[in-house]
Amino acid sequence: MKSKAKRYLAAALAATTAFSFVACSTETAESSFDSPLPWHVSDSSYEKLEYTVEIFNTEKSEKESERIKIADGTMTFTLEEGADQGYTKLDMDFTVKYSNVDGAGNDAGLTDKIESTVSFEPNSLAAKSMYKKVTLADRKDSKNLSYEITADYFDTHKATFKYFLQEGAKQKTRSLPKDTCRDNEMMFFVARAQKLSKDASTNFKMINLYDTFNSGETVEYRMTVACTSTRKIDLKEWVQEYGIAAVENEKTGETTYPVNCYTTTLQINDDNHGPEYTVMYAKDAFKVGEDEHKKLPIKISYSSYNGSKPYRLTTYTLSACSFTKAAE
């Protein structure tokens, strides 16, 4: 496979596997969760968080004025407590379409998708089951790395993996630990449940199922969640519905709707940790009546690298939310 084709395919896979970590803990938890959990207001709490996705080519520069936007997309997290026989269910849907621009390379005009569902215990966050499907468009001179993973943490304690668009690819099966595990699709929510405050840092162990299946051995990471600072993000007037106050600039007359956020980094705690995720968790609760949904992930961003040089920046920005399930 040509090196340039490899690089573009790796970028596509990175864009669609931002949630590819799988967490397992076989020892006492290193940090405690919020009580109640940030999303919990009742045994049937509901959150639907919708994001706009943007991917930029940063080979020329990481400066906002010089980077080139090469893709747009959407992502949705839907969380329901008590939805699966008393367990919490978290669905994630992601779609990104690359533009027909030079900076998109072999990705130009292509669409990639992810869908996943994970169920977990509502207090300990122990994963019960998971299904994930990553569907990548065909790339020139490249194997299609689209894959499916299923995991059963409570009954069979087994996981399966398959590159489902590769002709002749066989399904692989591995045993899972019989101790408490946390699944990949929960990563940003496990971090959200940590005790966050300025200059605070927590960590937890993780096992990466994608790397585990492809290396043939268990690959474990220890993740660090570090709150480095606080800042404000303007999400426009739609957030008024959830108790976020408008702020008017007396000099310009401009009205903004700033959400106070923790600037949080999430990365492997290792010398070779690779690029970090930056997650902005809201300090301001989003309110519906007297109910408060806390520490919503407002913005998620990360860079992909070619060697030591960043060449892709992916961002997810909250664009809408709902805390009441629509009638079916």
Side-chain angles (χ1 to χ4, degrees):
M1 189 186 303
K2 296 179 180 178
S3 60
K4 190 171 183 180
K6 284 184 179 179
R7 180 157 63 90
Y8 285 126
L9 184 57
L13 189 60
T16 56
T17 55
F19 316 101
S20 64
F21 292 118
V22 177
C24 282
S25 174
T26 56
E27 59 186 53
T28 303
E30 292 99 336
S31 58
S32 59
F33 299 134
D34 288 340
S35 183
L37 290 165
W39 51 82
H40 179 78
V41 294
S42 73
D43 290 340
S44 57
S45 295
Y46 176 90
E47 289 185 349
K48 184 176 183 180
L49 309 179
E50 301 177 55
Y51 296 81
T52 56
V53 178
E54 297 177 296
I55 301 178
F56 301 90
N57 182 315
T58 56
E59 290 179 299
K60 179 180 179 181
S61 173
E62 291 185 277
K63 293 181 180 179
E64 187 171 351
S65 60
E66 297 180 2
R67 64 196 188 194
I68 302 168
K69 187 162 77 166
I70 60 173
D72 290 285
T74 60
M75 180 181 71
T76 302
F77 284 122
T78 305
L79 181 146
E80 298 180 70
E81 290 197 87
D84 179 12
Q85 300 177 343
Y87 292 93
T88 302
K89 183 163 71 82
L90 178 64
D91 295 331
M92 191 273 291
D93 290 287
F94 171 98
T95 300
V96 64
K97 182 174 182 178
Y98 290 88
S99 304
N100 285 300
V101 296
D102 290 340
N106 284 3
D107 297 330
L110 302 181
T111 298
D112 298 321
K113 299 181 180 182
I114 303 175
E115 57 183 296
S116 69
T117 298
V118 59
S119 293
F120 55 92
E121 202 279 327
N123 297 309
S124 69
L125 309 189
K128 173 179 177 287
S129 61
M130 183 272 282
Y131 169 75
K132 180 175 183 178
K133 183 176 183 179
V134 175
T135 305
L136 301 173
D138 287 331
R139 262 80 177 173
K140 185 179 179 182
D141 300 324
S142 303
K143 284 186 177 181
N144 192 307
L145 298 181
S146 299
Y147 67 88
E148 287 182 301
I149 296 179
T150 63
D152 182 340
Y153 294 96
F154 279 11
D155 296 320
T156 66
H157 300 284
K158 292 185 182 296
T160 64
F161 176 96
K162 186 176 182 179
Y163 286 114
F164 66 88
L165 289 182
Q166 289 186 22
E167 186 176 352
K170 295 181 180 180
Q171 180 172 286
K172 304 175 184 179
T173 301
R174 288 188 65 90
S175 296
L176 296 172
K178 294 185 179 181
D179 300 285
T180 298
C181 294
R182 296 186 182 93
D183 185 86
N184 59 311
E185 303 311 302
M186 301 164 58
M187 183 174 73
F188 296 115
F189 282 74
V190 173
R192 176 183 172 189
Q194 305 288 316
K195 302 290 185 183
L196 297 181
S197 60
K198 189 177 179 180
D199 299 324
S201 178
T202 61
N203 64 82
F204 51 90
K205 274 190 175 180
M206 301 176 65
I207 181 172
N208 186 319
L209 279 188
Y210 183 86
D211 287 354
T212 293
F213 272 108
N214 284 281
S215 67
E217 59 184 20
T218 299
V219 179
E220 290 187 299
Y221 301 119
R222 182 179 296 276
M223 301 302 296
T224 295
V225 184
C227 184
T228 58
S229 62
T230 59
R231 59 170 287 195
K232 296 179 180 180
I233 297 180
D234 179 20
L235 289 183
K236 309 305 179 184
E237 63 183 14
W238 66 267
V239 297
Q240 288 186 104
E241 180 180 350
Y242 304 109
I244 304 301
V247 175
E248 184 174 347
N249 186 310
E250 294 182 357
K251 292 183 179 180
T252 65
E254 181 185 11
T255 300
T256 58
Y257 302 85
V259 179
N260 293 298
C261 296
Y262 298 107
T263 304
T264 305
T265 59
L266 180 58
Q267 67 181 13
I268 300 170
N269 186 9
D270 192 301
D271 291 339
N272 300 313
H273 57 70
E276 64 189 21
Y277 295 90
T278 299
V279 189
M280 311 298 295
Y281 289 106
K283 288 182 65 178
D284 299 327
F286 279 50
K287 301 177 181 179
V288 180
E290 296 183 355
D291 295 336
E292 293 187 341
H293 292 252
K294 300 175 181 178
K295 294 192 293 186
L296 295 188
I298 301 298
K299 188 168 186 175
I300 301 168
S301 60
Y302 66 95
S303 291
S304 301
Y305 285 76
N306 180 24
S308 61
K309 183 179 179 181
Y311 72 100
R312 292 270 173 103
L313 171 68
T314 302
T315 65
Y316 310 81
T317 304
L318 187 68
S319 57
C321 59
S322 175
F323 304 112
T324 304
K325 187 176 181 179
E328 296 180 351

